[in-house]
Amino acid sequence: MNKDKIASTISTTHNASLSKPFIERGASYMNHLEHLLKEKEELMRVDELENQLQQVKEIVEINSEPEDRSTDGELSAEHREFIERYSFSQDAIPDHHPGENIFQIVNAGKIFSQNNLDLRNFGFHPQNLIEKYLLRSGITQQLFVTVEGLLASTYHNSPCPVPILKWMFQMMSIHPDSTVSRKILDTLMLLTIRNFSDKNDQQKPWIPSLFDITTVLINMGISFSVLFPLQHFQPGFTENDIVCEMHVTVNKQSKRDICINPTAFFLPIESNLCNIAKFLRLCINVCPESYTDREIFMLLLLLFKISLETELKQFPLVDLECLIIKLLENVRNWDTEMSQLSLAISCLSNHHHNLLWLVQFVPNWTTRGRQIRRHLSLVIISKLLKSHVKIPSSHDHQMSLLCKELVKMKPSSLLKSLSETSGHHDGVTEPFLSESEPQAYYLTYVLLHLVREASNFEHTSSNQRKWLLRLCSTLEKHVKCDIREDVRLFYRTMVKDLVARTYSKWQQMIHSSQLTQGQIHDFWVPDT
């Protein structure tokens, strides 16, 4: 359709709408059938005219696009310069850590599922009517007896057999219905408490071993190498040992049920994982000597590794944090083992933001939690800045080291270090600088958060006050003065804001402390 025809159509439509006589309505409101039919016809004509106008408008827009493109052409140098001047980058420093893919959905349920985990294959001899009924029933009836509370009433005055407890623990970890999983947890916790409170029973109560915990986590889709990534912290068994033992437990007659829907399986992972953490916390409470220090270390490391899962960033993992606190409290040789634990945690990821998350994932409402956060922050700072120094044990030496490391956190120094690592030298080009600078400021942002964690004291003493004053001076002199804000570079503003908030926090800690005895005012002492 050419332009003359389009203009003719628009003119005809416009004249038709103008030539329509104005109908003056009277004061009568009687709804005669003839008037209703006329009004309906008028509305249909109006709708038809609107459709025609919309079609004409679309045709005009389609025909005018090539002309607009041909007339505009490319942006002029002046316009391009204007856009580059006022465009800014706001995604250089993300709000959340990138995380890792810990759970492999394709491997979920590869050992057992809720459809083939049969209690009849756990090998125990029935002693009462309920146990005989369970051994004659299928998996559905076994779950019914457990969920409806029949097991809790059966073992009211007698200990529950270990095979039943172990079957419940495994079933709780993989059942896709969160309600069923929670009911199994309630029954399992009740029976465990009764087993521990039974003074007449000479048999040691059952709690999940490291082998049992690893079995359910591998079945949830985590590979063995991800659970135990460090060479110096490997268990005394392999994944092949787990698979061989579970072949005896899994029902051989329901092979068709082994392949489950991975997408549906991943939905309850968060709730089932929290149920496992709640039960393990109960076991540690009632039996603190259940795990050795080495087993506690491996449990802590796999919990920290699981917390890096990208799909779990939207869930509050409070139960995992509470379990971490219980495990930290049960470390026997804390003073000698804390530094080794911090070094092991710092090796769980290579991304600096993930390492910051591991520090912040340690709960800080206990003394040991705050200690591990401060020490781990110093270890990661030394690792990121490639200082390769051993973290001292005394507080003064740690603060002295922190002041020295803070000097190296200037964005310009980190940018130079990144350029040397990438094979570029002093004569780098401007495009390379624009690509590397956001990474340098991102690293500065993470390092400053680690400095805040390393200098976080519950109570500020006069000695700590001295170090805080020195940290404030170093922060302003070396980091703050190195940042030049730009409207186009929002990440610089983010780092500058973090510097201001860190300085303000330290000043509050300084003012909340007391001056040294006999001293009225603070005096500035020049850096040596």
Side-chain angles (χ1 to χ4, degrees):
M1 183 182 295
N2 52 26
K3 291 186 177 181
D4 296 338
K5 189 173 182 180
I6 294 172
S8 176
T9 305
I10 295 175
S11 177
T12 303
T13 307
H14 180 66
N15 293 333
S17 61
L18 292 177
S19 61
K20 187 173 71 173
F22 176 74
I23 301 175
E24 183 178 358
R25 301 185 182 274
S28 177
Y29 293 97
M30 296 180 61
N31 293 328
H32 296 291
L33 179 60
E34 184 178 356
H35 291 170
L36 292 176
L37 291 175
K38 288 183 178 180
E39 288 181 0
K40 184 177 180 180
E41 292 177 357
E42 291 176 2
L43 291 175
M44 293 177 61
R45 283 199 298 268
V46 171
D47 292 339
E48 185 178 355
L49 290 174
E50 288 180 356
N51 293 333
Q52 291 179 1
L53 287 173
Q54 183 65 26
Q55 293 176 1
V56 171
K57 180 182 177 181
E58 292 176 356
I59 295 174
V60 170
E61 290 177 353
I62 293 174
N63 292 335
S64 60
E65 283 182 0
E67 296 182 5
D68 294 340
R69 292 175 182 173
S70 61
T71 55
D72 289 345
E74 297 181 356
L75 290 175
S76 62
E78 181 181 1
H79 291 166
R80 188 180 295 105
E81 181 181 357
F82 179 83
I83 293 175
E84 292 178 356
R85 180 179 180 182
Y86 291 100
S87 62
F88 64 94
S89 174
Q90 60 179 357
D91 298 330
I93 303 179
D95 295 331
H96 302 284
H97 64 287
E100 299 177 3
N101 294 324
I102 305 298
F103 290 88
Q104 302 297 328
I105 302 179
V106 294
N107 297 328
K110 68 176 183 179
I111 301 179
F112 58 88
S113 71
Q114 78 278 5
N115 299 317
N116 55 32
L117 192 62
D118 198 336
L119 184 58
R120 293 172 291 186
N121 296 326
F122 278 69
F124 73 99
H125 301 287
Q127 302 294 330
N128 51 45
L129 293 178
I130 288 295
E131 293 178 4
K132 293 179 180 178
Y133 175 77
L134 290 174
L135 293 181
R136 292 196 304 264
S137 304
I139 299 176
T140 305
Q141 288 77 16
Q142 295 169 7
L143 276 173
F144 177 81
V145 170
T146 305
V147 171
E148 295 301 322
L150 296 180
L151 285 179
S153 59
T154 301
Y155 300 105
H156 184 73
N157 296 319
S158 60
C160 180
V162 172
I164 295 181
L165 297 174
K166 190 173 183 179
W167 171 80
M168 292 172 62
F169 179 71
Q170 294 177 356
M171 182 64 73
M172 176 189 68
S173 68
I174 49 91
H175 202 284
D177 192 339
S178 59
T179 304
V180 174
S181 179
R182 183 54 190 262
K183 288 183 178 180
I184 296 176
L185 171 66
D186 294 338
T187 305
L188 183 60
M189 294 177 73
L190 178 61
L191 295 176
T192 302
I193 293 174
R194 288 178 181 174
N195 284 3
F196 276 100
S197 61
D198 189 1
K199 303 300 182 180
N200 298 324
D201 188 20
Q202 300 298 327
Q203 185 180 3
K204 184 179 179 181
W206 179 83
I207 66 168
S209 64
L210 183 62
F211 185 92
D212 298 322
I213 298 171
T214 305
T215 300
V216 297
L217 292 177
I218 289 179
N219 190 65
M220 294 173 74
I222 312 178
S223 63
F224 188 87
S225 59
V226 172
L227 280 177
F228 305 102
L230 305 183
Q231 184 177 1
H232 298 292
F233 291 96
Q234 293 292 321
F237 53 86
T238 63
E239 184 174 0
N240 188 40
D241 297 334
I242 295 175
V243 174
C244 291
E245 178 170 320
M246 291 305 301
H247 274 326
V248 180
T249 308
V250 174
N251 194 347
K252 308 298 187 302
Q253 298 178 355
S254 57
K255 295 182 178 180
R256 60 182 179 86
D257 295 330
I258 295 179
C259 298
I260 61 174
N261 185 3
T263 304
F265 185 89
F266 190 80
L267 295 177
I269 271 188
E270 185 267 338
S271 60
N272 291 0
L273 192 63
C274 291
N275 290 339
I276 295 174
K278 290 176 182 176
F279 180 65
L280 293 179
R281 183 156 54 98
L282 171 69
C283 293
I284 296 174
N285 275 329
V286 297
C287 188
E289 68 278 1
S290 52
Y291 300 107
T292 64
D293 279 359
R294 183 171 181 83
E295 290 176 335
I296 290 176
F297 272 33
M298 286 188 280
L299 287 175
L300 285 170
L301 292 177
L302 65 87
L303 287 175
F304 280 111
K305 191 67 177 180
I306 290 173
S307 70
L308 292 174
E309 169 59 46
T310 55
E311 297 295 333
L312 294 179
K313 289 192 291 185
Q314 56 184 337
F315 299 106
L317 304 177
V318 180
D319 293 304
L320 268 66
E321 293 178 347
C322 293
L323 177 58
I324 288 175
I325 284 296
K326 281 298 174 184
L327 291 171
L328 291 177
E329 290 177 353
N330 280 270
V331 177
R332 296 162 182 84
N333 302 320
W334 175 254
D335 295 333
T336 58
E337 300 290 348
M338 183 188 65
S339 58
Q340 186 180 3
L341 177 61
S342 300
L343 184 62
I345 295 174
S346 66
C347 298
L348 292 179
S349 180
N350 294 323
H351 196 280
H352 50 80
H353 205 163
N354 286 340
L355 293 175
L356 173 61
W357 162 256
L358 293 178
V359 173
Q360 295 175 341
F361 190 65
V362 180
N364 61 351
W365 57 79
T366 63
T367 302
R368 289 191 174 184
R370 290 188 292 270
Q371 288 178 358
I372 197 71
R373 283 180 79 144
R374 289 195 295 266
H375 198 276
L376 179 59
S377 299
L378 289 172
V379 171
I380 296 176
I381 289 174
S382 177
K383 176 182 178 180
L384 295 178
L385 294 178
K386 301 178 181 179
S387 301
H388 304 292
V389 295
K390 184 178 180 180
I391 306 301
S393 57
S394 66
H395 173 266
D396 288 340
H397 290 151
Q398 288 181 356
M399 291 297 99
S400 177
L401 175 63
L402 186 60
C403 291
K404 294 178 182 178
E405 300 288 10
L406 186 58
V407 176
K408 304 177 185 178
M409 296 179 190
K410 296 190 296 184
S412 59
S413 300
L414 296 177
L415 179 60
K416 182 179 179 181
S417 177
L418 287 175
S419 63
E420 292 175 354
T421 304
S422 302
H424 294 75
H425 302 285
D426 295 336
V428 294
T429 60
E430 185 65 27
F432 173 75
L433 287 177
S434 62
E435 294 177 0
S436 298
E437 186 179 279
Q439 300 176 10
Y441 274 85
Y442 188 11
L443 181 57
T444 304
Y445 186 82
V446 171
L447 286 170
L448 287 177
H449 273 288
L450 292 172
V451 171
R452 289 165 60 95
E453 294 291 343
S455 60
N456 188 16
F457 310 114
E458 185 178 2
H459 302 289
T460 307
S461 62
S462 58
N463 186 38
Q464 294 168 347
R465 174 190 174 91
K466 175 188 67 175
W467 288 112
L468 288 174
L469 287 170
R470 186 172 175 182
L471 284 172
C472 288
S473 175
T474 306
L475 182 68
E476 281 200 317
K477 180 179 178 181
H478 295 281
V479 181
K480 180 181 178 180
C481 297
D482 192 65
I483 302 174
R484 298 290 182 269
E485 292 188 85
D486 194 314
V487 294
R488 301 172 299 171
L489 309 176
F490 185 67
Y491 53 84
R492 291 187 182 181
T493 304
M494 292 181 64
V495 177
K496 194 74 171 287
D497 174 72
L498 180 59
V499 169
R501 288 188 284 116
T502 303
Y503 184 86
S504 176
K505 177 184 177 182
W506 287 342
Q507 287 296 320
Q508 290 178 0
M509 296 172 65
I510 292 171
H511 290 302
S512 65
S513 63
Q514 295 181 356
L515 291 172
T516 307
Q517 185 175 4
Q519 185 176 349
I520 301 178
H521 300 287
D522 285 324
F523 295 94
W524 175 74
V525 179
D527 296 334
T528 56

